[in-house]
């Protein structure tokens, strides 16, 4: 059973500047809920009891968000505001711990900070800037595959063949419609040279052997320690599987994806569905004229 999850959330968020100059991209809200709260909720819904968030410079608001705010709670209690229960639920979601990544040396380095907390057991990784929209929580889907193979499992999603050069792409032997035993991983392959059109999608189950692999991983692209490079090393030691997720990935660190996610999530909310759809139709009509 996987009981621990790591949420890396220390990155600069340069793709979302200037909004991310003084606030974490993981706190950018989709409607009224910060991105990282959706991520924590997915972990909790998958049965995770213990979460370690990899934090860093300028990320204090993430800690405050999952902490109690007694002054605010007292004020809401006086006003008998329903939001009080939501705020209390938020601070009781799971055992949430924090560790600071001192220098931003990449995702592999961020995960290495979790080694003492994780110990010698497999664990889940959920990128703090990526929301999954699915019926069965995506981390739960990966855990089910882990239970079968007892090896690391990477979430992947199908991407258009002419866009494979934007992603980390997996290749290997197909075991079923959704599972592949990996033979290779390629970061941003040239068009026509990708081993598949399955892209790494921001969720992982990793065995603790990954920490030894990160230690041996030299700095790669951008002078950073890339998790994909460490996973390639892991692949030479252990079996690694990919699981094609049922659901949709939203990368909030990308401005266009952020806008699309806001629109899709707003249309799913009962209170906004009708007025927001009417508004969108009006806007489209104006543009078409
Ligand atoms: P990204 O590569 O999307 O984050 O990492 P970034 O570096 O902040 O992005 P840009 O390109 O500058 O906009 C995915 C997740 O991993 C975390 C990020 O916070 C994000 O949630 N991360 C990345 C770390 O925790 N540490 C790092 O050194 C890099």
């Amino acid at each position: 059973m996987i009981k621990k999850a790591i949420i890396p959330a220390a990155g600069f968020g340069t793709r979302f500047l200037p909004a991310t100059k003084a606030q974490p991209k993981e706190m950018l809200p989709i409607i009224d809920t910060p991105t990282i709260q959706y991520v924590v909720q997915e972990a909790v819904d998958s049965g995770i009891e213990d979460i370690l968030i990899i934090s860093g410079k300028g990320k204090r608001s993430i800690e405050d968000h999952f902490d109690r705010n007694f002054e605010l709670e007292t004020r809401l209690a006086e006003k008998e505001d329903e939001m009080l229960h939501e705020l209390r639920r938020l601070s009781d979601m799971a055992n949430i711990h924090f560790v600071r990544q001192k220098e931003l040396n990449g995702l592999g380095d961020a995960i290495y900070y979790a080694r003492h907390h994780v110990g010698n057991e497999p664990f889940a990784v959920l990128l703090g800037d990526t929301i999954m929209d699915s019926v069965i929580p995506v981390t739960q889907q990966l855990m089910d595959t882990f239970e079968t193979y007892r090896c690391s499992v990477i979430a992947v999603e199908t991407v258009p063949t002419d866009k494979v050069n934007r992603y980390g792409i997996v290749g290997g032997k197909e075991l079923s419609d959704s599972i592949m035993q990996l033979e290779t991983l390629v970061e941003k392959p040239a068009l026509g040279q990708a081993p598949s059109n399955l892209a790494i999608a921001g969720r992982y189950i990793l065995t603790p052997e990954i920490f030894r692999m990160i230690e041996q991983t030299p700095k790669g692209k951008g002078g950073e320690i890339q998790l994909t490079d460490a996973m390639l090393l892991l692949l030479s030691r252990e079996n690694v599987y990919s699981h094609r997720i049922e659901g949709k990935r939203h990368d909030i660190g990308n401005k266009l994806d952020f806008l699309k996610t806001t629109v899709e999530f707003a249309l799913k909310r009962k209170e906004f569905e009708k007025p927001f759809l009417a508004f969108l139709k009006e806007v489209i009509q104006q543009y078409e004229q």
Side-chain angles (χ1 to χ4, degrees):
M1 279 288 272
I2 311 282
K3 287 283 167 219
K4 290 181 181 169
I6 311 304
I7 303 181
F12 278 125
T14 52
R15 287 170 297 154
F16 222 118
L17 283 167
T20 46
K21 185 182 173 214
Q23 66 165 334
K25 71 172 159 180
E26 295 80 6
M27 286 297 290
L28 291 171
I30 298 299
I31 309 175
D32 53 7
T33 303
T35 296
I36 196 161
Q37 190 181 323
Y38 291 97
V39 180
V40 167
Q41 187 68 54
E42 179 192 326
V44 171
D45 290 345
S46 304
I48 295 287
E49 292 166 355
D50 182 292
I51 295 172
L52 178 70
I53 296 180
I54 313 294
S55 163
K57 194 170 166 0
K59 303 280 180 168
R60 266 295 300 275
S61 58
I62 299 180
E63 291 181 41
D64 290 341
H65 185 69
F66 292 105
D67 199 358
R68 292 195 71 173
N69 180 335
F70 292 105
E71 249 177 278
L72 181 60
E73 285 180 23
T74 309
R75 179 64 63 89
L76 293 176
E78 281 164 12
K79 293 203 299 180
E80 291 177 20
D81 194 313
E82 285 171 16
M83 189 46 78
L84 178 64
H85 304 289
E86 174 58 18
L87 288 198
R88 288 203 174 137
R89 186 191 72 84
L90 186 56
S91 47
D92 290 337
M93 278 174 93
N95 291 321
I96 303 183
H97 313 268
F98 295 87
V99 63
R100 279 171 79 98
Q101 185 183 14
K102 294 193 181 63
E103 265 182 72
L104 295 188
N105 286 327
L107 188 54
D109 178 65
I111 286 171
Y112 193 62
Y113 276 81
R115 66 194 182 282
H116 298 304
H117 190 88
V118 165
N120 200 29
E121 53 184 293
F123 59 99
V125 174
L126 298 87
L127 297 192
D129 63 350
T130 301
I131 296 178
M132 295 293 184
D133 189 10
S134 65
V135 179
I136 300 170
V138 168
T139 299
Q140 174 72 64
Q141 296 177 29
L142 300 191
M143 286 174 171
D144 293 345
T145 298
F146 175 83
E147 284 307 317
T148 307
Y149 297 100
R150 315 295 300 177
C151 288
S152 297
V153 184
I154 309 179
V156 293
E157 62 169 0
T158 308
V159 294
T161 310
D162 61 344
K163 295 207 170 88
V164 286
N165 56 345
R166 298 182 188 175
Y167 302 93
I169 301 291
V170 299
K173 194 166 64 187
E174 268 183 45
L175 302 184
S176 72
D177 190 34
S178 58
I179 313 288
M180 199 185 247
Q181 183 177 340
L182 298 192
E183 284 160 6
T184 187
L185 293 162
V186 197
E187 198 50 59
K188 301 191 172 73
L191 292 180
Q193 288 180 16
S196 74
N197 61 345
L198 294 172
I200 299 174
R203 299 288 186 267
Y204 311 76
I205 303 290
L206 297 173
T207 58
E209 187 63 10
I210 193 71
F211 297 122
R212 256 80 66 197
M213 301 302 104
I214 294 171
E215 280 166 10
Q216 293 169 32
T217 303
K219 286 187 176 173
K221 200 176 146 277
E224 296 185 337
I225 298 181
Q226 302 292 344
L227 180 62
T228 309
D229 292 341
M231 296 217 53
L232 251 179
L233 278 181
L234 187 67
L235 199 52
S236 63
R237 299 280 189 98
E238 300 181 348
N239 287 348
V240 178
Y241 297 85
S242 67
H243 177 121
R244 192 164 52 73
I245 60 171
E246 271 174 46
K248 192 166 173 189
R249 165 168 69 149
H250 300 272
D251 174 8
I252 303 307
N254 164 317
K255 290 176 192 174
L256 184 60
D257 249 14
F258 174 83
L259 284 171
K260 288 180 183 173
T261 309
T262 302
V263 171
E264 279 189 32
F265 278 46
L267 290 173
K268 284 184 193 210
R269 284 269 285 261
K270 257 209 181 98
E271 73 259 48
F272 297 127
E273 187 193 344
K274 281 190 184 143
F276 193 56
L277 186 61
F279 165 77
L280 289 178
K281 283 182 180 164
E282 215 177 281
V283 173
I284 290 165
Q285 244 172 26
Q286 280 170 10
Y287 268 85
E288 282 175 348
Q289 271 168 17

